[in-house]
Amino acid sequence: MIPYSVLDLAPVPEGATTSDALAQTVTLARHAEALGFHRYWLAEHHAMPGIASAATAVLIGHVAAHTQRIRVGSGGIMLPNHAPLMVAEAFGTLAELHPDRIDLGLGRAPGTDGRTAQALRRNLDVTDNFPADVLELLRYFGEPEPGAIQAIPGQGTRVPLWILGSSLYGAQLAAHFGLPYAFASHFAPPALEAALAAYRQGFRPSAQLDRPRAMVAINVFAGADDAEGRYLRSSAQLAFANLRLGRPGKLPRPVEDISAHVDPGMLRTVDQALSVSATGGPETVRRELAALLERHRPDEVILTGQIHDPAARLRSFTIAAEALASL
């Protein structure tokens, strides 16, 4: 049995508030810990009405303080938005507060639109410093070097770094640096197989990792039967379509007939983006998860599910955990 984890965007459903969403994140984290999930990751997105995890490090600390054993981290921190020293201090502080429980997954995208990215960074006219920034972070989390800038807290904590990606770039970078790699197949699956192959073939052992460690993200919409699973999935389909149409909002309520709400061409685009999924009743979800594991052979999986009703979301993760535990 491989480790399985949760990726949470702290969704804000229609009819709910941000405060509700943050409370539900803590509830889901505790639920995941009780079910045996290995990690609980939160994602950095900005200016998104339906996502409450913009201040990702703050929410990671809150979740870690309300759980006991489960690892808590970022899936991910969008590194171009931040100075590496500030990231090292934030996650170094988290690591000191919650020893051996904090992960730092790093992304290269802004996690938002261009105007908001400029408000975050002030200057978008810069060279891509992502590889150098990753190395800088590794230095901050290691032992202090004479004369070098130190991250305090941070130095000596050796917070595990993961590279996140949806293309060959991240896979090649993670392989070159000898770091674990997580692929964003829950929304960008086309390059999944090529990226995993590039990562595994190009991996160079490092002080952090002696062999490749690849994580695959999977959407799960699990209900009492296949019809309920499809019904729960419709919220994610509507949200993705709205985002593609330039009108992001809170997580929509599910609908019985998604084709009556989304244009056929857009629905094909959405379903392609969400194709790495397990949707349906317990047996269907188990079968589809087994097929994904057999096809991609990940070292870990991380499950996500944009489900409108918090109670249904808890049940969905319960069904998924039971399915994975049985494989």
Side-chain angles (χ1 to χ4, degrees), residues 154-246:
Q155 65 179 35
T157 57
R158 303 196 183 282
V159 173
L161 264 61
W162 287 71
I163 301 298
L164 279 57
S166 58
S167 68
L168 295 183
Y169 179 93
Q172 292 165 342
L173 186 72
H176 180 76
F177 287 155
L179 295 173
Y181 178 59
F183 191 87
S185 36
H186 61 299
F187 72 89
L192 172 57
E193 293 187 6
L196 291 180
Y199 172 65
R200 288 163 175 158
Q201 292 167 10
F203 183 83
R204 298 163 54 177
S206 68
Q208 290 74 40
L209 198 63
D210 61 356
R211 67 187 66 183
R213 186 166 193 86
M215 179 189 289
V216 168
I218 302 173
N219 296 287
V220 174
F221 308 97
D225 53 30
D226 289 357
E228 185 184 10
R230 291 191 295 270
Y231 175 70
L232 297 175
R233 174 187 169 101
S234 66
S235 291
Q237 292 170 301
L238 288 166
F240 206 99
N242 289 340
L243 184 61
R244 285 294 180 95
L245 293 169

Side-chain angles (χ1 to χ4, degrees), residues 24-46:
Q24 289 301 327
T25 281
V26 171
T27 299
L28 179 58
R30 288 172 164 170
H31 186 68
E33 183 172 68
L35 289 171
F37 281 86
H38 184 50
R39 309 178 196 272
Y40 195 94
W41 281 7
L42 294 142
E44 177 187 345
H45 292 278
H46 298 278

Side-chain angles (χ1 to χ4, degrees), residues 87-109:
V87 175
E89 290 171 342
F91 278 78
T93 300
L94 289 169
E96 295 288 5
L97 290 169
H98 309 284
D100 198 31
R101 290 185 59 205
I102 301 300
D103 300 324
L104 175 52
L106 299 169
R108 180 171 166 250

Side-chain angles (χ1 to χ4, degrees), residues 71-85:
R71 298 191 66 87
V72 189
S74 61
I77 290 294
M78 300 297 106
L79 191 50
N81 296 340
H82 311 279
L85 178 58

Side-chain angles (χ1 to χ4, degrees), residues 119-175:
L120 286 163
R121 309 185 201 177
R122 298 298 181 186
N123 179 18
L124 296 181
D125 186 22
V126 295
T127 305
D128 181 5
N129 291 321
F130 188 70
D133 287 349
V134 172
L135 288 177
E136 187 176 346
L137 273 171
L138 286 169
R139 288 196 298 271
Y140 288 141
F141 289 131
E143 297 304 320
E145 301 174 3
I149 296 171
Q150 297 178 18
I152 303 172
Q155 65 179 35
T157 57
R158 303 196 183 282
V159 173
L161 264 61
W162 287 71
I163 301 298
L164 279 57
S166 58
S167 68
L168 295 183
Y169 179 93
Q172 292 165 342
L173 186 72

